[in-house]
């Protein structure tokens, strides 16, 4: 009855018969198993912060009524400053790890879930063996001890599992948490802190009638990415943020498997951005709305001064169009073979929609309002709130009057821009083409394979590289096109430019003002027909570092590769 999703899937595997499953997903037969014993605590590493992080099944209250089976990270501080491990009350998310640049950190990861797992510190610059590569996955009952120094500047990083083929399912089950790093530069700014510095983790989930998480393995879902029926904030349903009439810092993380948000305030107030993936920008920037793809973070400065006590403000995801040249929706080929029933199931449940569907993923969906449109959109996307529709994300209620003297600093940090001419390949960018075919999502036509590094994936240690992600900009894009939030492990990169292919501009205009490409990034959303060019350094550590689509279903489908730094 009340099984976490991985157990459900196991049963599904049994019921279906292994051979049938293996024929559909041959990778199931090659589960990743660590070749060397898991890393243990070393005697010559003297941690400033020493903690335990245990992944365990939990039976957790999320909705009213029955509890929900989740997998949850539990933290315990063994040594280090008080507050280094901060639970979010009432949340299935892992504790917030509050760390400081320069600290030596030991994290004893105990795997107590019935599956292999490994933890990745998204955005942190750590040695390859400490980066949560799937080859270091440990079995249930085992412990892997991570030891590294925090080399990153202040910023909103996060942690989540990264095992082979099943990352999406494990994150969906609840395994994820924030890591907020601070440093002296940030502290000197006196930004809103304590209760006025609010973590906001956005995720979408679908619950069945018994309040259990439901997840679909259908190939259609895997190709498109899983979209849930309702938005959870910090693991909570029906979340309202109570605020006073003063300045706040909101740290948003999109921890969803595949959902892309176009965030804007419902009264049209512009957003003030002070930071993103890799920490503070040089100076505050404003945007009418912000695109936030899976894995991306944005640090907002919001002043509620002058607002009526008792009033509400809602951050919505605003409508946008994704052009889908290549015919994922048109041809209908993806929808055959028993997919329809499954897609219909989640269609109507969420109740968060305002005024029916506002256009789904494909051009064909746009403009069909009302109930019919919503049904169809729901069916096409498998969600009550289709990608690109208009729905509320975060409700803020002004609770009390309070004055503060915090002013928005006009200078936040200093960032030295990389120079194109300093790249070892400034004349010859490394191009990574993104493509999707039936049953696969590819990088340069390749699917993920452990210990399989192509010559163009070798990076010289301490080099600056010019890299471009090409999502159908130059040509061949496979059978369908989708947005891909591309992530590279290791040091953050700088985005140099975005180019859009003629013919794709119209859909692109619905998102193009929402990118925050200033500062340091580790995820870049690449829209259909777009090419994103960036500069990235591969410093300090040799070894395998992954790059992949952070649409977690795409990642598990094989849209991932390793760079070998040597
Ligand atoms: Cu957030 Cu390789 O992942
Ligand atoms: Cu990462
Ligand atoms: Cu993708």
């Amino acid at each position: 009855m009340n099984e976490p999703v991985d157990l459900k899937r196991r049963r599904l595997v049994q019921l279906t018969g292994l051979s049938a499953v293996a024929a559909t997903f041959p990778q199931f037969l090659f589960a990743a198993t660590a070749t060397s014993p898991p890393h243990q605590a070393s005697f010559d590493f003297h941690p400033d912060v020493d903690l335990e992080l245990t992944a365990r099944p939990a039976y957790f209250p999320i909705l009213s009524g029955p509890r929900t089976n989740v997998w949850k990270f539990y933290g315990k501080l063994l040594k280090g400053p008080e507050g280094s491990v901060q639970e979010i009350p009432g949340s299935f998310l892992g504790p917030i790890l509050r760390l400081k640049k320069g600290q030596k950190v030991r994290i004893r990861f105990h795997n107590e879930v019935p599956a292999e797992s490994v933890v990745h510190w998204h955005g942190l610059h750590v040695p390859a063996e400490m980066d949560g590569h799937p080859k270091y996955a440990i079995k249930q009952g085992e412990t892997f001890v991570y030891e590294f120094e925090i080399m990153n500047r202040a910023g909103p990083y996060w942690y989540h599992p990264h095992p082979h083929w099943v990352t999406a399912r494990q994150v969906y089950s609840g395994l994820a948490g924030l890591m907020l790093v601070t440093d002296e530069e940030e502290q000197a700014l006196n930004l809103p802190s304590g209760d006025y510095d609010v973590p906001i983790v956005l995720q979408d989930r679908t619950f069945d009638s018994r309040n259990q998480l439901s997840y679909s393995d259908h190939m259609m879902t895997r190709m498109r990415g899983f979209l849930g029926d309702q938005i959870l904030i910090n693991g909570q349903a029906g979340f309202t943020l109570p605020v006073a009439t003063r300045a706040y810092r909101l740290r948003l993380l999109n921890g969803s498997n595949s959902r892309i948000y176009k965030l804007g305030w419902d009264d049209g107030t512009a957003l003030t951005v002070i930071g993103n993936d890799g920490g503070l920008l040089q100076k505050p920037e404003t945007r009418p709305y912000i695109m936030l793809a899976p894995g991306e973070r944005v640090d907002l400065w919001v002043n509620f001064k002058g607002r009526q006590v008792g009033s509400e403000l809602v951050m919505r995801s605003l409508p946008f169009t994704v052009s889908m040249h290549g015919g994922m929706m048109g041809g209908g080929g993806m929808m055959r073979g028993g997919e329809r029933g499954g897609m219909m199931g989640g269609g109507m449940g969420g109740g968060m929609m305002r005024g029916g569907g506002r256009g789904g993923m494909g051009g064909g969906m746009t403009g069909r309002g009302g109930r019919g449109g919503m049904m169809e959109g729901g069916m096409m996307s498998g969600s009550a709130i289709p990608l690109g529709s208009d729905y509320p994300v975060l409700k803020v209620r002004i609770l009390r009057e309070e004055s503060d003297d915090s002013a928005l600093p006009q200078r936040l940090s200093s960032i030295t821009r990389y120079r194109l001419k300093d790249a070892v390949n400034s004349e010859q960018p490394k191009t990574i083409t993104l493509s999707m075919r039936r049953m696969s999502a590819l990088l340069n036509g390749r699917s993920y394979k452990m210990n399989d590094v192509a010559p163009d994936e070798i990076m010289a240690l301490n080099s600056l590289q010019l890299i471009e992600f090409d999502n159908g900009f130059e040509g061949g894009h496979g059978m369908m096109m989708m947005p891909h939030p591309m992530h590279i492990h290791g040091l953050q990169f700088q985005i140099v430019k975005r180019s859009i292919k003629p013919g794709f501009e119209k859909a692109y205009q619905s998102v193009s003002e929402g990118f925050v490409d200033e500062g340091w990034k580790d995820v870049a959303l690449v829209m259909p027909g777009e090419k994103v060019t960036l500069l990235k350094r591969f410093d300090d550590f040799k070894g395998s570092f992954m790059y992949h689509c952070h649409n977690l279903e795409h990642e598990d489908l094989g849209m991932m590769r390793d760079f070998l730094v040597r």
Side-chain angles (χ1 to χ4, degrees):
M1 287 300 269
N2 296 319
E3 296 163 322
V5 283
D6 261 59
L7 287 181
K8 265 188 198 152
R9 177 225 238 162
R10 289 200 166 178
R11 209 174 48 168
L12 180 77
V13 169
Q14 283 165 12
L15 292 177
T16 325
L18 185 62
S19 54
V21 171
T24 327
F25 308 112
Q27 61 269 26
F28 280 8
L29 295 179
F30 307 103
T33 308
T35 43
S36 49
H39 186 266
Q40 297 304 311
S42 21
F43 294 105
D44 54 355
F45 183 88
H46 304 290
D48 303 302
V49 181
D50 193 340
L51 62 98
E52 281 183 330
L53 197 62
T54 305
R56 241 197 334 258
Y59 190 45
F60 207 84
I62 301 175
L63 306 176
S64 59
R67 293 173 178 227
T68 306
N69 286 287
V70 297
W71 287 358
K72 177 171 162 46
F73 280 121
Y74 289 88
K76 188 175 171 205
L77 184 63
L78 303 176
K79 178 193 170 193
E82 202 189 320
S84 303
V85 175
Q86 184 197 3
E87 292 290 342
I88 307 177
S91 175
F92 64 75
L93 290 178
I96 300 175
L97 306 182
R98 292 191 177 268
L99 302 166
K100 197 166 174 197
K101 184 176 180 177
Q103 277 177 336
K104 290 202 163 74
V105 181
R106 174 182 285 153
I107 302 176
R108 306 156 189 263
F109 166 54
H110 304 303
N111 180 7
E112 292 179 11
V113 295
E116 288 194 349
S117 198
V118 62
V119 188
H120 166 57
W121 322 100
H122 182 129
L124 291 191
H125 181 47
V126 297
E129 315 76 66
M130 297 296 144
D131 194 44
H133 195 283
K135 68 182 164 197
Y136 300 112
I138 56 170
K139 296 188 186 71
Q140 182 176 23
E142 291 186 327
T143 295
F144 189 108
V145 182
Y146 295 90
E147 292 172 332
F148 50 80
E149 184 183 327
I150 304 290
M151 298 170 73
N152 290 67
R153 63 205 292 265
Y157 308 101
W158 65 299
Y159 58 97
H160 61 76
H162 223 305
H164 212 17
W165 310 118
V166 289
T167 293
R169 199 168 267 278
Q170 293 196 3
V171 172
Y172 187 78
S173 298
L175 297 177
L178 276 169
M179 289 182 114
L180 299 177
V181 171
T182 187
D183 63 11
E184 262 139 43
E185 182 190 46
E186 179 189 56
Q187 286 172 356
L189 290 172
N190 277 317
L191 293 167
S193 62
D195 288 347
Y196 308 111
D197 176 6
V198 187
I200 304 279
V201 180
L202 309 180
Q203 293 175 313
D204 55 341
R205 295 289 184 271
T206 297
F207 296 89
D208 67 16
S209 56
R210 293 164 301 128
N211 286 357
Q212 300 308 306
L213 289 169
S214 54
Y215 187 75
S216 158
D217 256 326
H218 288 297
M219 186 45 79
M220 180 66 181
T221 312
R222 293 157 63 95
M223 292 293 280
R224 183 208 55 221
F226 182 86
L227 294 170
D229 283 346
Q230 60 174 295
I231 308 299
L232 303 185
I233 302 284
N234 297 335
Q236 288 153 299
F239 178 92
T240 299
L241 177 67
V243 300
T245 53
R246 52 155 292 154
Y248 279 76
R249 188 177 180 188
L250 304 185
R251 311 243 223 155
L252 276 65
L253 157 69
N254 182 352
S256 312
N257 280 25
S258 87
R259 183 176 293 276
I260 299 167
Y261 302 85
K262 174 180 173 178
L263 301 171
W265 294 113
D266 65 344
D267 68 349
T269 305
L271 298 134
T272 303
V273 189
I274 59 171
N276 52 3
D277 301 354
L280 294 168
L281 306 179
Q282 299 211 67
K283 58 174 181 50
E285 301 285 343
T286 54
R287 292 288 185 277
Y289 59 84
I290 288 168
M291 298 306 297
L292 201 68
E296 286 190 301
R297 290 86 74 200
V298 71
D299 193 341
L300 300 179
W301 194 88
V302 192
N303 202 344
F304 298 106
K305 189 175 171 188
R307 293 198 179 260
Q308 276 293 332
V309 169
S311 67
E312 283 183 358
L313 186 64
V314 177
M315 186 184 280
R316 302 185 68 87
S317 188
L318 305 170
F320 62 95
T321 314
V322 177
S323 66
M324 302 278 299
H325 294 236
M328 172 186 179
M329 296 303 167
M334 293 302 305
M335 294 292 294
R336 279 183 214 127
E339 303 268 295
R340 274 166 210 269
M343 310 299 306
M344 297 284 289
M348 300 294 293
M352 288 189 70
M353 294 281 300
R354 194 178 58 172
R358 291 285 302 265
M361 296 168 76
M365 295 306 303
T366 5
R368 278 187 225 178
R371 224 175 156 70
M374 177 170 160
M375 277 273 299
E376 201 163 336
M379 182 182 75
M380 288 304 190
S381 73
S383 166
I385 37 176
L387 187 69
S389 61
D390 182 1
Y391 53 92
V393 171
L394 169 68
K395 195 194 276 185
V396 178
R397 185 172 298 141
I398 319 296
L399 262 202
R400 58 175 204 280
E401 210 58 70
E402 191 178 317
S403 56
D404 66 327
D405 48 8
S406 52
L408 173 63
Q410 284 316 300
R411 173 149 202 94
L412 298 163
S413 73
S414 64
I415 292 173
T416 314
R417 294 298 295 183
Y418 291 144
R419 291 176 310 184
L420 183 58
K421 66 176 167 69
D422 294 337
V424 293
N425 61 338
S426 56
E427 301 294 316
Q428 273 183 308
K430 276 192 199 280
T431 304
I432 297 157
T433 60
L434 318 177
S435 62
M436 302 203 71
R437 308 200 187 280
R438 190 180 292 269
M439 319 269 264
S440 61
L442 307 167
L443 299 174
N444 277 339
R446 305 170 186 128
S447 185
Y448 190 70
K449 216 169 140 200
M450 203 100 60
N451 303 316
D452 173 46
V453 176
D456 55 289
E457 293 175 314
I458 296 173
M459 299 291 182
L461 183 66
N462 298 327
S463 65
L464 177 68
Q465 301 273 349
L466 182 63
I467 296 173
E468 51 188 34
F469 287 115
D470 181 334
N471 191 5
F473 180 81
E474 293 288 356
H477 51 70
M479 67 172 286
M480 64 196 248
M481 291 179 86
M482 285 198 59
H484 297 289
M486 295 304 302
H487 171 50
I488 313 180
H489 284 220
L491 284 172
Q492 274 72 29
F493 49 75
Q494 292 180 353
I495 293 180
V496 178
K497 69 168 185 213
R498 291 174 176 270
S499 324
I500 189 78
K501 183 176 178 145
F504 287 80
E505 301 96 333
K506 198 153 179 296
Y508 191 63
Q509 273 167 19
S510 69
V511 301
S512 58
E513 283 175 80
F515 298 116
V516 184
D517 289 345
E518 290 89 350
W520 296 101
K521 293 285 296 167
D522 55 49
V523 178
L525 176 59
V526 192
M527 297 302 288
E530 190 179 32
K531 181 170 77 177
V532 176
T533 308
L534 57 94
L535 284 164
K536 174 175 160 70
R537 293 198 61 89
F538 290 82
D539 286 357
D540 307 310
F541 307 120
K542 293 184 180 181
S544 299
F545 290 92
M546 293 169 269
Y547 65 102
H548 58 88
C549 181
H550 220 289
N551 175 324
L552 296 180
E553 282 72 31
H554 289 180
E555 175 190 327
D556 287 347
L557 207 50
M559 200 169 195
M560 174 161 104
R561 295 287 299 173
D562 286 320
F563 283 132
L564 179 64
V565 182
R566 69 172 195 208

